[in-house]
Amino acid sequence: MKPVRSLARVMLSGIFVVSGARNLQNPGRLVPTAKPVIDRVTPLLQNLSPRVPTDTATMIRANSATQLVAGLMLATGRFTRPAALVLAGTLVPTTIAGHRFWENDDPVARNNNQIHFLKNLGLLGGLLLAAADTEGKPGLRWRAGHRIGHSRSSVQRAVRTARREAKIAVRSAATARRLPG
């Protein structure tokens, strides 16, 4: 792994590791902010599975634990692409729940939440880039296309060879029939 790529992943994951650990230990401070969003999502979660815990503190802890683990995976270079996707997925509800600047009447709070909202959009962009990063190696799409192209070339080459050999066999057979014997 290149040093710049390693450093960038550590820098990108730092906020998730620190805030994930902090929020895992103390989810209570986020409950009032997250509760309206979680209350809206609760019916959807209960439709998926009635056993899914939907209390706000548990949901915050689950999101925090996910961010902590995925952040560590991204920082250490283990399963970086899936880890970046998971972090991107956890960032969406975090941003929607925590930085609803459009609901703030106070201009200072509105501006502060708008800055954090935009910061999270930037983090989301970085995570999407990290999820798409193949570290200079060809991606699956390229590999599949290349393999298909290579297979087509091989088949075309085999067909040309078979035609050529068939023509040679026909000529040999025709020559053999003309020979007295």
Side-chain angles (χ1 to χ4, degrees), residues 57-130:
T58 302
M59 296 293 282
I60 292 170
R61 277 196 178 101
N63 191 53
S64 300
T66 303
Q67 286 183 344
L68 176 63
V69 171
L72 288 171
M73 289 170 58
L74 183 64
T76 59
R78 304 278 186 225
F79 301 105
T80 55
R81 295 177 73 189
L85 280 176
V86 167
L87 287 172
T90 65
L91 191 59
V92 172
T94 300
T95 303
I96 291 171
H99 305 297
R100 301 165 68 88
F101 67 90
W102 54 90
E103 292 180 352
N104 291 116
D105 293 330
D106 178 25
V108 174
R110 180 184 188 95
N111 186 46
N112 189 31
N113 275 326
Q114 189 174 31
I115 288 169
H116 285 293
F117 185 90
L118 293 172
K119 172 205 50 138
N120 283 5
L121 281 181
L123 285 171
L124 181 61
L127 289 168
L128 293 176
L129 282 173

Side-chain angles (χ1 to χ4, degrees), residues 22-173:
R22 184 177 297 152
N23 297 336
L24 190 60
Q25 291 174 347
N26 184 16
R29 65 183 185 81
L30 299 175
V31 169
T33 308
K35 188 159 179 45
V37 174
I38 291 175
D39 286 347
R40 289 179 119 178
V41 176
T42 297
L44 296 172
L45 293 174
Q46 288 177 338
N47 283 343
L48 291 173
S49 174
R51 290 185 275 169
V52 172
T54 55
D55 67 288
T56 306
T58 302
M59 296 293 282
I60 292 170
R61 277 196 178 101
N63 191 53
S64 300
T66 303
Q67 286 183 344
L68 176 63
V69 171
L72 288 171
M73 289 170 58
L74 183 64
T76 59
R78 304 278 186 225
F79 301 105
T80 55
R81 295 177 73 189
L85 280 176
V86 167
L87 287 172
T90 65
L91 191 59
V92 172
T94 300
T95 303
I96 291 171
H99 305 297
R100 301 165 68 88
F101 67 90
W102 54 90
E103 292 180 352
N104 291 116
D105 293 330
D106 178 25
V108 174
R110 180 184 188 95
N111 186 46
N112 189 31
N113 275 326
Q114 189 174 31
I115 288 169
H116 285 293
F117 185 90
L118 293 172
K119 172 205 50 138
N120 283 5
L121 281 181
L123 285 171
L124 181 61
L127 289 168
L128 293 176
L129 282 173
D133 180 28
T134 60
E135 298 183 30
K137 299 172 188 165
L140 290 177
R141 181 177 175 186
W142 183 89
R143 288 184 207 178
H146 185 72
R147 180 57 47 204
I148 289 169
H150 181 70
S151 297
R152 279 188 191 144
S153 298
S154 295
V155 168
Q156 289 170 349
R157 199 168 32 254
V159 167
R160 282 193 307 267
T161 302
R163 284 182 183 157
R164 188 171 46 248
E165 289 178 1
K167 285 180 185 177
I168 292 170
V170 167
R171 285 184 198 144
S172 295

